[in-house]
Amino acid sequence: MANKPNYGPLHPVLRRPMNFRWTAKPPPSATSESGNTIAQSATQLSATPRYRSHPHWGLEQHPVEPAPAPKTTQHVVASYATYLLAFTAALYGAAAVAELIRYFTLLYNRTRLIPLPIAYTTDLLVVTASIAALVFAFLTVISCASWLINFRNEMCHRYGLRETRSTRWQFIATVLPPMSWFYPPTLLAELIQNPRVQSVRNPAELHNVLSRIKQWWTLWVLTWLFARKYHLAYC
């Protein structure tokens, strides 16, 4: 007698073979953006995959997205870092143009008299642009320091690293000179050179980022030195 073909498990109610299988999806952190499971080596260290909600069995699953965490004042201030950098650079450019206008006005005044309203206007442009640039430079430093602290916290959370420095100390050391000369690049270089980060990211990419950090560090210190020299000469 011939064997009956195996059609698989029977439907619990209809009592006929089922043409589908119930599957369970892996945790979202264990899959890539394309939906493929991420293959990890035994030596690679990463965070344990977790479900965002209780897993269910079914034909199709729609994972429940976690509620966004409330933004703190530090996150709000850090979100304006890019805009403040661009606006502060524009203010310094305007202050430089105002200085050139006053300089050429003084050259013209060597041979000809200029009206007092023009002289007062050039002085007002220089003073206004300079004060505005200094005020927004201070706000930019605070915003960039907040962004750096948030970025470091996010990286530590993503790669399962433990933050060894307090937020208050990071902020103070990033804002106040002379610690601000070397502390911000040090915070970034520590993340790049961490063995756990290097085991996940592309080494060539990390080397490129580290080179850019060193270049930015050099420009940062030179800017401070030139600004200090100009301040002493101007005073």
Side-chain angles (χ1 to χ4, degrees):
M1 184 176 180
N3 295 331
K4 294 183 178 181
N6 185 11
Y7 294 104
L10 297 178
H11 194 280
V13 177
L14 303 178
R15 305 305 299 172
R16 65 183 182 184
M18 294 188 299
N19 56 356
F20 57 85
R21 289 186 177 182
W22 296 85
T23 60
K25 292 184 178 180
S29 57
T31 57
S32 60
E33 296 180 356
S34 60
N36 299 327
T37 303
I38 300 176
Q40 298 180 352
S41 61
T43 59
Q44 180 177 333
L45 299 177
S46 61
T48 304
R50 300 177 183 274
Y51 286 97
R52 297 192 181 100
S53 60
H54 293 290
H56 301 281
W57 291 85
L59 295 177
E60 185 178 2
Q61 294 188 27
H62 300 281
V64 179
E65 296 294 335
K71 291 186 177 181
T72 61
T73 304
Q74 180 175 315
H75 285 82
V76 175
V77 173
S79 63
Y80 292 98
T82 303
Y83 304 103
L84 286 175
L85 280 171
F87 188 71
T88 303
L91 284 178
Y92 272 102
V97 172
E99 287 282 1
L100 288 176
I101 292 175
R102 184 169 69 169
Y103 175 74
F104 287 114
T105 303
L106 293 176
L107 289 180
Y108 182 83
N109 193 36
R110 293 178 61 183
T111 56
R112 300 176 181 85
L113 292 177
I114 60 174
L116 285 178
I118 296 179
Y120 291 151
T121 301
T122 56
D123 292 340
L124 182 62
L125 286 176
V126 171
V127 173
T128 303
S130 301
I131 294 178
L134 290 176
V135 171
F136 275 90
F138 176 74
L139 297 177
T140 303
V141 169
I142 295 178
S143 181
C144 291
S146 301
W147 178 89
L148 179 60
I149 295 173
N150 290 341
F151 176 76
R152 184 178 173 89
N153 292 336
E154 291 175 1
M155 292 289 289
C156 290
H157 177 72
R158 180 184 304 176
Y159 294 103
L161 306 177
R162 186 174 65 89
E163 181 59 77
T164 57
R165 295 179 175 87
S166 65
T167 301
R168 179 178 300 179
W169 170 249
Q170 291 184 54
F171 183 82
I172 294 175
T174 304
V175 172
L176 297 181
M179 291 182 294
S180 60
W181 292 4
F182 58 88
Y183 206 82
T186 302
L187 293 179
L188 293 175
E190 280 183 355
L191 294 176
I192 301 300
Q193 296 175 344
N194 188 276
R196 184 169 295 183
V197 177
Q198 291 181 350
S199 64
V200 178
R201 304 301 294 269
N202 186 5
E205 178 186 0
L206 295 179
H207 178 74
N208 187 21
V209 174
L210 187 60
S211 300
R212 292 185 180 182
I213 292 176
K214 293 180 180 179
Q215 295 172 6
W216 170 74
W217 192 346
T218 304
L219 292 175
W220 176 260
V221 176
L222 290 177
T223 301
W224 268 99
L225 294 178
F226 279 115
R228 183 62 178 173
K229 183 177 180 181
Y230 173 79
H231 175 72
L232 294 176
Y234 188 79
C235 294

